[in-house]
Amino acid sequence: MSPLSRLMAATAMLAMFSWALLPADGSTVPTGDPEAEGWMTESRDAFADARWHDALEPTRALVERFPTQQVYSDRLARIYFGLGRAADEAAAWEQFVKVSPTPEDACPAMGHAYYRAGDRARALDAFRRCRDFDPMSAEGAYFLGRAYQREGRHQEALETFRDAVRVDPVHSDSRIGLAGMLLRQGDTAEALAIIEPTVSRVPGNPDVHLIQGLALQRLGRRTAARAALERAAALTTTYVDVHVALGILDYSEGHISSARARFERAVSLDPGRQAELQVWLERTAEAGQ
């Protein structure tokens, strides 16, 4: 699983259980409405038990009866997430955004829902709106930068990550995104300067050590590069890019068998990168003869 996929999965899980912080349903249901009170109880109890199918109909009924109560559209969106109905989830988040005094609470889940529904244009628009909901939040700019990256709009991604770091200089994910884009366009020294303050701040993040290692390697500082890449490898055994980076470093230093093992491991973890890594497999095979 890529770092971005890990990040998206963790965000979704955290969002799913944040319902416990929402106001109690009783504060939003008028007294003397037994039908609504029944829906409230069914929705609340089924949601708490992650019984998504059971929670769906009473929650939809609550949204229809009380469309301005964001607590119910929020819950409905999370139910649709649990059911894997991404398009319906996105629509529920849109309803939440219309009525909530804090529309940023729909982010980044709304954009992710559009992506899962296959609507990339609306996903990008959602992330733009999320950034604009709170321009002083690095999170909003960070997720917009990621969205630009996925669309291959690299210059816009670079500028957006810069904005995120400017808003919050200690926002680690934004520094990782910016440093990665700087490496991509060949600004190696600046990439290293951007990522190094993050190494001590989030030492458990393998992305930080990978980017630091790549920058050091390109600057010819092989010993320091290996130390950084080995730190990344110690944090995860399944990060393909770490194996590839260490394989290239091993090859450049004449450690052919070790390099080949790294490339073979990378292909076994992600067979879809076979064509990309074939040249390295062939080089190590020839050098090992």
Side-chain angles (χ1 to χ4, degrees):
M1 182 181 287
S2 71
L4 180 58
S5 297
R6 290 196 301 272
L7 173 63
M8 290 176 63
T11 301
M13 289 300 292
L14 287 171
M16 189 188 268
F17 292 105
S18 66
W19 62 271
L21 302 177
L22 296 171
D25 287 353
S27 65
T28 61
V29 176
T31 58
D33 189 340
E35 185 177 40
E37 289 176 357
W39 294 334
M40 177 194 72
T41 300
E42 292 175 34
S43 169
R44 181 192 62 214
D45 293 349
F47 185 85
D49 294 336
R51 292 185 284 112
W52 311 124
H53 288 283
D54 294 338
L56 179 58
E57 288 308 321
T59 308
R60 284 204 302 200
L62 287 167
V63 172
E64 291 174 6
R65 179 72 65 88
F66 309 108
T68 62
Q69 297 293 342
Q70 72 269 16
V71 63
Y72 300 128
S73 50
D74 177 289
R75 182 178 296 173
L76 183 60
R78 299 175 197 279
I79 290 168
Y80 281 131
F81 175 84
L83 292 170
R85 294 170 56 172
D88 290 324
E89 180 195 349
W93 283 125
E94 292 287 8
Q95 173 63 22
F96 175 89
V97 165
K98 288 179 184 177
V99 301
S100 176
T102 56
E104 64 271 15
D105 290 344
C107 305
M110 181 169 63
H112 291 155
Y114 276 121
Y115 266 122
R116 293 195 307 276
D119 196 333
R120 300 175 71 91
R122 286 189 177 181
L124 185 58
D125 175 68
F127 284 119
R128 284 198 196 98
R129 285 185 288 146
C130 284
R131 185 269 315 274
D132 294 340
F133 289 151
D134 187 0
M136 297 310 295
S137 167
E139 284 284 302
Y142 165 74
F143 282 108
L144 177 58
R146 284 296 195 192
Y148 280 134
Q149 271 188 315
R150 286 190 290 271
E151 296 304 308
R153 297 166 64 166
H154 301 299
Q155 188 58 37
E156 288 164 293
L158 175 67
E159 293 169 359
T160 305
F161 286 135
R162 280 198 190 281
D163 288 341
V165 172
R166 190 176 302 115
V167 166
D168 184 355
V170 299
H171 191 258
S172 300
D173 287 335
S174 295
R175 281 188 171 269
I176 291 168
L178 177 56
M181 294 305 300
L182 289 167
L183 275 180
R184 186 184 184 280
Q185 70 177 28
D187 292 333
T188 307
E190 186 180 0
L192 183 61
I194 289 293
I195 203 63
E196 285 199 321
T198 311
V199 174
S200 59
R201 190 174 299 123
V202 285
N205 188 326
D207 289 339
V208 173
H209 304 294
L210 171 62
I211 292 174
Q212 182 191 31
L214 291 173
L216 290 166
Q217 185 175 4
R218 293 181 188 182
L219 291 170
R221 297 167 58 184
R222 291 183 179 178
T223 300
R226 181 174 293 281
L229 293 173
E230 292 290 359
R231 286 195 296 272
L235 291 169
T236 172
T237 61
T238 59
Y239 197 161
V240 173
D241 289 335
V242 172
H243 287 289
V244 173
L246 280 167
I248 293 172
L249 185 58
D250 284 339
Y251 182 84
S252 69
E253 295 179 345
H255 307 306
I256 305 304
S257 62
S258 177
R260 183 170 182 81
R262 290 284 187 185
F263 296 132
E264 289 176 342
R265 174 64 171 156
V267 171
S268 71
L269 289 169
D270 188 355
R273 295 180 67 172
Q274 173 80 45
E276 170 195 345
L277 296 173
Q278 187 60 38
V279 62
W280 289 107
L281 292 169
E282 292 172 357
R283 287 179 182 177
T284 51
E286 293 170 1
Q289 292 177 352

